[in-house]
């Protein structure tokens, strides 16, 4: 694996900012944030539900190509745009996910309300994609040349059941040459995500013989058994340290109001700062569902002739990982924050950075600038005020890590 030195590059942030090519790039950022916002709106209005990101990927690729980048789409669906440096064997990877949590048919037209622009996915992650486009163009406008190669990637499968398949493919392809990974996700300049939260996602299904609501009344009901299991699991306390969480996000089952269902399904997300705690929650979930079935069978007034059965199907496993406090990557972005006067805090989250962190590859996740709220809801909004600070933060950190050609 390629490495970043203890100073990331011999250049200081101040020297980079004073370099004539970088100064021109930073000046472009100051004058063109509205253009970046236009790209964000255009991206946001292209639907990109999980597993169907191709149209948004095509727009992202087309937008990057004029900036002297070798852009292509890999077999996983990731857009890969390479800016070759003096050393092609040492890479800084900038990645932003293309997909959203919103299903096909969602109205993704962007509306404006004062300084705010509103729309599902406008911040998560149209803001991150637009930040990559902005930095790529700034590097081109300034004709900045770096020692390390920079790759801009729009990756698939970050949300929902995508299981981080896009970033996994990127890491597999470039791992021997990766010096650092920066995932750009959402807005803000106030955080640096340095720890990946472990998560396990499951589809839990309970099946039975089903029947007629009248003639078979009293037979065990998979929906009722599932509900009993959910309630039992929800009564189990999760620790505050390590911080842990769970969510029952989708419940499905049955075919009509007057039929006892033959199948009921719930999709659940388990998370924790510690992998071992996720495994404990998974064990508790399995016990709770079995107890729910046992209780439903005991309460049944009619022998259906067949017991209820439960199955678990994995929808995704996100490994944990943590960037060391003495990492040159963390030192680099903190140096940039000091230079820009930005006060940032360290955070833990589940992002594309989970995969490189779990493999010991230096990685962080940051926002692309501006302000936002309502992520994963139809009321999501983004305010581009201060966007230039986020773009400069990403630009300077990238160049500091990549090193200026002399």
């Amino acid at each position: 694996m390629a490495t970043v030195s203890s100073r990331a590059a011999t250049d200081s942030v101040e020297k980079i900012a004073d370099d004539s090519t970088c100064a021109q790039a930073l000046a472009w950022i100051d004058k063109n944030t509205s253009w970046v916002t236009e790209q964000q709106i255009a991206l946001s209005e292209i639907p990109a539900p999980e597993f169907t990101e191709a149209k948004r990927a095509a727009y992202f690729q087309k937008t990057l190509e004029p900036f002297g980048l070798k852009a292509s789409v890999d077999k996983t669906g990731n857009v890969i745009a390479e800016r070759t440096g003096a050393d092609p064997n040492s890479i800084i990877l900038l990645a932003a996910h293309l997909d959203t949590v919103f299903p096909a048919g969602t109205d993704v037209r962007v509306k404006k309300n004062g300084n705010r622009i509103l729309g599902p996915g406008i911040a998560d992650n149209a803001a991150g994609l637009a930040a990559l486009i902005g930095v790529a163009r700034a590097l081109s406008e300034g004709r900045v040349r770096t020692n390390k190669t920079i790759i801009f990637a729009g990756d698939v499968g970050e949300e929902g059941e995508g299981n981080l398949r896009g970033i996994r493919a990127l890491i597999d392809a470039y791992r021997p040459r990766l010096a650092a990974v920066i995932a750009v996700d959402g807005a803000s300049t106030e955080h640096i995500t340095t720890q990946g939260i472990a998560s396990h996602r499951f589809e839990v299904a309970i099946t039975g013989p089903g029947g007629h609501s009248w003639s078979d009344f009293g037979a065990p009901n998979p929906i009722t058994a599932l509900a009993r299991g959910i309630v039992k699991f929800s009564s189990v306390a999760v620790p505050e340290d390590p911080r842990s969480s769970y969510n029952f996000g989708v419940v499905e089952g049955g075919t009509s109001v007057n039929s006892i269902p033959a199948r009921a399904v719930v999709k659940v997300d388990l998370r924790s700062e510690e992998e071992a705690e996720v495994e404990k929650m998974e064990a508790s979930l399995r016990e709770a569902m079995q107890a729910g079935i046992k209780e439903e069978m005991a309460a049944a007034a009619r022998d259906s002739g067949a017991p209820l059965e439960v199955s678990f199907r994995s929808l995704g496993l996100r490994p944990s990982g943590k960037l060391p406090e003495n990492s040159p990557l963390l030192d680099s972005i903190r140096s940039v924050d000091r230079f820009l006067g930005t006060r940032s805090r360290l955070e833990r989250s589940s992002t594309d950075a989970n995969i490189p962190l779990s493999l010991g590859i230096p990685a962080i996740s940051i926002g692309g600038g501006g302000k936002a709220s309502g992520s994963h809801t139809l009321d999501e909004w983004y305010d581009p005020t201060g966007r230039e600070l986020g773009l400069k933060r990403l630009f300077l950190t990238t160049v500091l890590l990549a090193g200026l050609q002399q």
Side-chain angles (χ1 to χ4, degrees):
M1 184 179 72
T3 60
V4 176
S5 70
S6 60
R7 184 54 197 150
T10 56
D11 304 311
S12 67
V13 182
E14 292 80 3
K15 185 176 180 181
I16 288 173
D18 286 341
D19 176 83
S20 60
T21 63
C22 290
Q24 186 173 337
L26 292 169
W28 182 89
I29 289 174
D30 278 327
K31 297 175 182 177
N32 292 278
T33 55
S34 60
W35 179 85
V36 177
T37 302
E38 290 171 6
Q39 306 313 307
Q40 178 181 354
I41 292 171
L43 284 160
S44 190
E45 289 187 331
I46 302 172
E50 57 188 87
F51 303 109
T52 54
E53 304 96 334
K55 289 185 179 179
R56 184 175 288 188
Y59 182 92
F60 186 67
Q61 178 184 0
K62 181 180 178 181
T63 306
L64 287 172
E65 285 175 338
F67 311 141
L69 302 173
K70 301 174 184 176
S72 61
V73 178
D74 69 10
K75 63 181 181 181
T76 307
N78 298 315
V79 177
I80 300 171
E82 184 173 321
R83 195 173 198 275
T84 306
D87 183 359
N89 293 314
S90 187
I91 292 172
I92 306 298
L93 173 63
L94 307 184
H97 68 86
L98 291 157
D99 56 327
T100 74
V101 299
F102 303 100
T106 302
D107 184 356
V108 293
R109 288 175 295 180
V110 174
K111 304 174 182 64
K112 295 184 179 181
N113 184 6
N115 288 333
R116 294 182 178 180
I117 49 178
L118 300 83
I122 188 65
D124 185 10
N125 189 31
L129 292 166
L132 261 59
I133 291 171
V135 169
R137 182 164 180 182
L139 287 164
S140 176
E141 293 286 341
R143 298 183 181 181
V144 179
R145 305 309 306 169
T146 58
N147 293 320
K148 290 181 171 61
T149 293
I150 301 169
I151 290 181
F152 297 87
D155 63 84
V156 299
E158 195 275 343
E159 300 284 14
E161 298 174 27
N163 200 26
L164 302 179
R165 71 185 193 283
I167 193 69
R168 290 178 195 271
L170 290 169
I171 299 304
D172 285 346
Y174 295 106
R175 184 175 179 180
R177 296 185 283 159
L178 284 176
V181 178
I182 300 177
V184 186
D185 202 338
S188 175
T189 55
E190 299 172 353
H191 72 277
I192 309 168
T193 298
T194 58
Q195 180 174 347
I197 300 300
S199 75
H200 292 185
R201 295 172 180 177
F202 295 97
E203 178 187 84
V204 184
I206 295 180
T207 56
H212 193 282
S213 65
W214 176 257
S215 59
D216 296 312
F217 177 70
N221 188 314
I223 288 180
T224 310
L226 189 70
R228 294 179 190 274
I230 291 172
V231 170
K232 288 182 179 296
F233 178 79
S234 299
S235 68
V236 177
V238 296
E240 294 184 6
D241 186 18
R243 184 182 172 189
S244 305
S245 72
Y246 63 86
N247 182 62
F248 295 97
V250 178
V251 179
E252 299 173 331
T255 57
S256 72
V257 69
N258 60 333
S259 299
I260 298 171
R263 188 171 188 264
V265 175
V266 65
K267 294 181 180 180
V268 58
D269 173 50
L270 309 176
R271 301 190 187 203
S272 180
E273 294 172 348
E274 297 293 340
E275 193 88 35
E277 194 60 44
V278 179
E279 294 172 357
K280 288 181 183 178
M281 287 193 291
E282 179 185 336
S284 295
L285 178 66
R286 291 177 181 272
E287 291 175 4
M289 289 302 169
Q290 291 288 357
I293 287 178
K294 185 177 181 179
E295 189 174 285
E296 175 65 10
M297 292 293 292
R302 178 189 294 269
D303 184 359
S304 64
L308 298 180
E309 296 183 349
V310 64
S311 62
F312 285 73
R313 181 171 70 92
S314 177
L315 300 178
L317 189 154
R318 298 188 177 201
S320 61
K322 188 175 182 179
L323 186 70
E325 280 283 342
N326 62 352
S327 166
L329 172 57
L330 185 55
D331 177 60
S332 295
I333 192 166
R334 281 175 160 166
S335 296
V336 171
D337 281 342
R338 285 192 295 270
F339 175 78
L340 294 173
T342 303
R343 298 184 65 180
S344 59
R345 63 188 181 277
L346 301 187
E347 283 192 355
R348 304 159 181 172
S349 189
S350 179
T351 69
D352 275 332
N354 278 49
I355 299 303
L357 285 171
S358 72
L359 297 171
I361 299 169
I364 56 173
S365 180
I366 61 175
K371 300 176 182 178
S373 186
S375 179
H376 290 200
T377 75
L378 296 176
D379 297 321
E380 188 172 352
W381 60 263
Y382 176 83
D383 182 347
T385 304
R387 151 165 266 157
E388 66 279 1
L389 188 63
L391 295 174
K392 289 179 179 180
R393 187 183 191 221
L394 180 58
F395 172 87
L396 289 170
T397 302
T398 301
V399 177
L400 183 60
L401 292 169
L404 277 174
Q405 283 191 35
Q406 302 299 321

